[in-house]
Amino acid sequence: MHQNIRFQFVASNYRITNNLTKRLTNPQSSSYYATQHFQSPFLCEKAVGKTRSGSHYGPYYDQRYDVAVQLQTHRSFHSLGCQANKASGKSLESQRINEKLENIKTNIGKQYQRLCDRDSYVTAEKVRNAFLGMGDDCRLLLQTFDEYLAGFLKRVGKDRAYSSYDNYRKRRNRLASFLEYEYHVKDIAFKELKREFVEKFVVYLSTVKGLASGTIHSTLKKLKLMTYTAYKNGWIAVDPFAGFYVKAEYAERRYLSASELQAVMDVRLPNYRTGINRDAFVFCAFTGLSHADVSKLTYADIHTDDNGERWIIDRRQKTGTQFRVKLLPVAEMLYERYKDMHLSGDRVFPLKGTYNTLNMSLRHVARHAGLSFNPTIHMARHTFATTVTLTQGVPLETVSKMLGHKRITTTQIYAKITNDKIGQDMAALSEKLSSVFKVAR
């Protein structure tokens, strides 16, 4: 026999009662189910300017929320006193039932009072969630991260790249591994996060995972995004990691020198697909496009100006920042090479596979070209910034605009001042100064 133990919570005057009613559902069952009923006020008087200090009067509507407590009793036990609002008798079973009922009522009252002190109004749902540990105070870190990833995944292919989603997912998994390693838990509430948490996380990433400072820096940015989200939504009063910073010390970015780039352009390759990937790499080296941007590049993105010169005018897939870059002679030759293929979606290059598969193909290119290292498609972007533009005298500000960077500090990571460039600048400076300054004889 099932019996419903119903807790009616009247929010307007803190009255808590438990109305015990019987419902015959399964004669063989030996469980009693307790359900809480909450009634919540909407302070209509307050809305029209009539308030009473220190009390919660006014009209309210019934809002019912049931939660099964599942108080286990013996099948033959039927002495629930409906009038007394408790189990009758002095048996141990009755005492156990009544003690749990009192604990539940006390806990509900405490949660209601806490919400009244904190919020401008209280609803039955808020009280129920607080009682069950489902309120804002119990928002979890990885739960929020997973919700963010789910929303991010819906934007992939529109204004976000899958590679960016995969990057966020890896950071999330590192955070989950740390929770298992350090705290032996699957998730943690935002309110439990303290400064020492992020300090231990940095040590874990550095020692256990063996990550460099640049990777640690980017991982912390994802974690701090979650805590900022919690702070912004009012789930926590203070962002526990605000002001915490790990300086990123990036390794030297590799790029192709002029001779290495020429070797890649001249090499004869054994198959057609590798040749396509090589051409895409060279095109990126002379335009500064990333893998995501060259993969989605269409003929509609290439415009012809009044002088008959072609320009790529598009927005970066990663950031949405607009960039403009003129097609240099090498890039224009590759554009003409594939123009008559009429690919689906009006794409310029018939690229297939992922970022990693393209890099695997470039390893074959490097071997045939005699390079001593394995280039990646992203290395072409660094080559454009350093070898093709900056070394040839293009100002850093112009390079930054062509790469679609929001900050010039990012371009400084990409573009390096080569020894040849220093030599050219110093030679020009020597020539200018020779006619200005004279040493007295």
Side-chain angles (χ1 to χ4, degrees):
M1 176 177 293
H2 280 238
Q3 303 202 24
N4 277 2
I5 305 174
R6 296 184 178 179
F7 294 91
Q8 186 180 53
F9 183 68
V10 183
S12 58
N13 60 4
Y14 306 102
R15 179 169 58 86
I16 305 173
T17 63
N18 53 316
N19 299 324
L20 309 182
T21 60
K22 299 180 180 180
R23 181 183 62 180
L24 182 64
T25 57
N26 183 1
Q28 303 302 320
S29 175
S30 60
S31 298
Y32 288 95
Y33 289 81
T35 61
Q36 296 108 33
H37 288 193
F38 303 98
Q39 290 182 328
S40 169
F42 274 118
L43 305 181
C44 300
E45 294 171 323
K46 185 175 181 179
V48 296
K50 299 177 181 179
T51 61
R52 299 186 184 183
S53 175
S55 61
H56 297 270
Y57 293 94
Y60 61 85
Y61 71 96
D62 289 341
Q63 188 180 28
R64 168 176 169 167
Y65 287 94
D66 295 338
V67 178
V69 177
Q70 294 189 352
L71 300 179
Q72 300 292 328
T73 65
H74 191 270
R75 182 173 58 181
S76 61
F77 181 77
H78 302 298
S79 56
L80 285 173
C82 294
Q83 298 299 324
N85 293 328
K86 64 180 182 179
S88 61
K90 298 182 179 181
S91 66
L92 291 177
E93 194 165 16
S94 296
Q95 294 177 25
R96 180 178 65 84
I97 292 269
N98 291 333
E99 183 179 354
K100 289 190 175 183
L101 293 179
E102 284 300 322
N103 289 339
I104 290 172
K105 290 190 291 183
T106 301
N107 193 2
I108 291 174
K110 288 180 178 179
Q111 296 296 341
Y112 172 70
Q113 183 61 56
R114 183 180 64 84
L115 292 174
C116 287
D117 294 340
R118 188 190 72 179
D119 299 342
S120 58
Y121 71 96
V122 179
T123 66
E125 184 178 12
K126 279 187 176 182
V127 179
R128 188 276 308 266
N129 290 344
F131 172 70
L132 295 178
M134 296 166 53
D136 290 343
D137 287 345
C138 292
R139 289 286 302 191
L140 303 177
L141 175 60
L142 291 183
Q143 173 195 10
T144 304
F145 212 140
D146 290 336
E147 291 173 358
Y148 177 83
L149 286 175
F152 195 99
L153 185 59
K154 294 178 180 178
R155 299 171 62 181
V156 169
K158 300 180 178 66
D159 58 351
R160 292 292 183 269
Y162 183 83
S163 58
S164 298
Y165 166 79
D166 193 52
N167 181 278
Y168 272 83
R169 185 181 56 81
K170 289 177 181 177
R171 270 49 173 183
R172 183 264 182 210
N173 291 341
R174 286 176 187 149
L175 185 57
S177 299
F178 168 70
L179 289 175
E180 289 275 7
Y181 177 86
E182 185 68 31
Y183 298 98
H184 309 291
V185 296
K186 297 289 186 182
D187 207 342
I188 189 170
F190 280 108
K191 66 179 181 179
E192 299 295 331
L193 297 178
K194 301 293 185 290
R195 177 79 170 214
E196 65 174 358
F197 178 92
V198 70
E199 292 172 348
K200 290 181 178 179
F201 188 38
V202 171
V203 173
Y204 169 81
L205 294 175
S206 177
T207 58
V208 179
K209 291 296 185 180
L211 301 180
S213 61
T215 308
I216 294 175
H217 174 77
S218 61
T219 301
L220 288 185
K221 284 179 64 176
K222 311 300 187 292
L223 171 61
K224 293 176 71 174
L225 174 62
M226 297 303 110
T227 56
Y228 176 74
T229 300
Y231 169 72
K232 183 177 64 174
N233 290 333
W235 304 336
I236 50 178
V238 178
D239 186 345
F241 306 149
F244 186 86
Y245 181 77
V246 172
K247 184 178 180 180
E249 297 178 358
Y250 294 102
E252 193 73 18
R253 302 301 175 95
R254 190 67 185 265
Y255 59 89
L256 273 67
S257 65
S259 59
E260 291 169 338
L261 181 57
Q262 188 64 55
V264 170
M265 295 168 60
D266 293 341
V267 67
R268 291 184 176 274
L269 299 170
N271 62 72
Y272 176 69
R273 175 53 55 186
T274 306
I276 292 174
N277 293 334
R278 184 270 308 274
D279 290 347
F281 178 89
V282 174
F283 186 84
C284 291
F286 282 91
T287 58
L289 268 62
S290 66
H291 172 255
D293 294 328
V294 75
S295 297
K296 71 180 184 66
L297 183 66
T298 65
Y299 289 102
D301 299 323
I302 300 177
H303 305 265
T304 304
D305 63 14
D306 295 338
N307 298 322
E309 297 177 330
R310 293 190 176 96
W311 293 74
I312 299 176
I313 304 176
D314 198 5
R315 291 188 178 275
R316 291 217 57 207
Q317 172 116 357
K318 183 178 180 180
T319 62
T321 306
Q322 188 183 63
F323 67 93
R324 301 167 60 96
V325 59
K326 179 183 175 182
L327 286 188
L328 298 173
V330 174
E332 189 151 12
M333 288 175 61
L334 293 172
Y335 166 84
E336 294 289 346
R337 178 178 297 177
Y338 292 93
K339 187 171 65 173
D340 297 329
M341 293 189 66
H342 305 293
L343 301 172
S344 61
D346 202 29
R347 292 180 298 118
V348 176
F349 288 98
L351 293 176
K352 294 182 179 180
T354 64
Y355 176 85
N356 291 330
T357 56
L358 178 55
N359 288 337
M360 289 295 294
S361 178
L362 291 176
R363 291 188 177 187
H364 298 291
V365 176
R367 187 175 69 252
H368 286 87
L371 300 185
S372 60
F373 59 94
N374 294 320
T376 65
I377 185 64
H378 196 70
M379 201 176 291
R381 192 164 159 83
H382 290 276
T383 302
F384 172 79
T386 301
T387 305
V388 176
T389 56
L390 196 62
T391 302
Q392 306 305 320
V394 179
L396 187 64
E397 294 80 4
T398 303
V399 176
S400 181
K401 288 293 184 182
M402 291 191 291
L403 290 174
H405 287 158
K406 292 182 178 180
R407 294 179 294 273
I408 200 167
T409 53
T410 307
T411 311
Q412 290 172 336
I413 298 174
Y414 275 71
K416 299 299 180 184
I417 304 297
T418 64
N419 291 333
D420 290 343
K421 174 60 176 172
I422 296 174
Q424 294 170 12
D425 291 343
M426 292 305 295
L429 179 62
S430 297
E431 186 177 347
K432 290 181 180 179
L433 293 181
S434 62
S435 60
V436 176
F437 298 99
K438 300 290 183 180
V439 179
R441 294 184 181 273

